[in-house]
Amino acid sequence: MPSVICFDVLTLFPSIFEGFLSESVLKGALAAQKIEVRLHNMRDWADDKHATMDDRPFGGGPGMLLKVDRVVPCVEEIQHQQQPGRLLMFTPQGRCFNQRFAEELATEQRIVMLCGRYEGFDERVAEILKPEEVSIGDYILNGGEVAAMVVIETVMRLIRGVLGDEDSNRFDSFSTGNRILDCAHYTRPREYRGFSVPEILLSGNHAEIAQWRNNNSLQRTKEKRPDLLVTASGNSSPKN
Ligand code: ADE
């Protein structure tokens, strides 16, 4: 796994990322140079007076499409600025993003992400650039920016040294070898409105606490996400 991952984000709205990148773990990862995020405004590749990036679809229909003659030169130029990266294009038709996909991306040195807007891209963008089309779920967003943030945040957590505790992502739910939900956690006060912390967690008996946590994880998975247990026992193996 590389020690630094560079994310190049191609968007019409780079300012959407400002708050996201300037707080908490991401801010720290940027400052520690564990990740690099380069924002590119695709509008800079529009050479006409109005910086037009979109146009009406041939054949009619609602909405506007991102123009192939703007997007393709932009991606090509950015890819050639350094060693070309793994190219992702966000669309609801893409491969569904999940923890396993994030683990795969965390082995890359450079990830270039193309964020759509409006009704999407002229189809020739995909035909020419052959990006990996990625969706973050079966719902429609206004564009790919939120999807890019999801990918950046999920992948950066997997880089060694980004999270305070070296181990703290290894047991995240959904990571390879751990397709089970996290157990319940409690902090002070010990009792609130008649709801108490389970006695065992106050016992100091680490073996029993570990046992309780395992059982609690399993119980919660059975209740909330039984589909994960089917997968864990090998009855079905999703390709995503
Ligand atoms: N653009 C619009 N909807 C999207 C989704 N669900 N995932 C990725 N990109 C999108």
Side-chain angles (χ1 to χ4, degrees), residues 229-237:
L229 293 174
V230 172
T231 310
S233 64
N235 289 349
S236 90
S237 118

Side-chain angles (χ1 to χ4, degrees), residues 8-11 38 40-42 45 53 67-82 84-89 110 112-115 121 125-126 128-131:
D8 282 275
V9 184
L10 284 63
T11 169
R38 304 197 316 160
H40 308 276
N41 189 339
M42 287 193 283
W45 275 262
M53 286 300 297
K67 285 164 62 60
V68 61
D69 53 341
R70 299 286 190 260
V71 176
V72 168
C74 167
V75 174
E76 285 175 345
E77 187 179 324
I78 286 160
Q79 281 285 40
H80 292 131
Q81 282 171 356
Q82 38 180 292
R86 188 155 163 178
L87 179 61
L88 310 183
M89 181 169 104
R110 186 172 181 224
V112 178
M113 298 188 284
L114 187 50
C115 302
F121 298 94
V125 171
I128 295 168
L129 296 172
K130 300 189 173 37

Side-chain angles (χ1 to χ4, degrees), residues 140-239:
I140 306 298
L141 302 164
N142 288 339
E145 287 76 12
V146 170
M149 291 190 231
V150 168
V151 170
I152 292 171
E153 182 156 325
T154 315
V155 171
M156 62 81 98
R157 289 174 54 81
L158 300 173
I159 301 172
R160 190 177 297 280
V162 162
L163 300 181
D165 177 346
E166 283 294 284
D167 273 344
S168 54
N169 61 30
R170 235 198 308 143
F171 304 111
D172 277 354
S173 299
F174 315 115
S175 38
T176 298
N178 192 37
R179 291 183 56 82
I180 189 165
L181 299 182
D182 195 9
C183 62
H185 298 283
Y186 299 84
T187 184
R188 282 173 285 190
R190 285 183 179 199
E191 189 174 319
Y192 185 68
R193 297 191 180 182
F195 288 79
S196 302
V197 175
E199 272 305 312
I200 190 79
L201 298 178
L202 311 172
S203 68
N205 184 329
H206 295 295
E208 286 190 16
I209 291 172
Q211 181 69 49
W212 181 90
R213 286 184 167 153
N214 280 337
N215 291 342
N216 185 264
S217 277
L218 199 55
Q219 192 57 39
R220 277 153 68 93
T221 312
K222 272 185 195 156
E223 278 166 26
K224 295 171 196 260
R225 290 291 307 273
D227 56 303
L228 292 178
L229 293 174
V230 172
T231 310
S233 64
N235 289 349
S236 90
S237 118
K239 292 284 173 283

Side-chain angles (χ1 to χ4, degrees), residues 89-93 116 134-144 147:
M89 181 169 104
F90 294 112
T91 114
Q93 293 94 44
V134 180
S135 162
I136 60 162
D138 291 341
Y139 38 77
I140 306 298
L141 302 164
N142 288 339

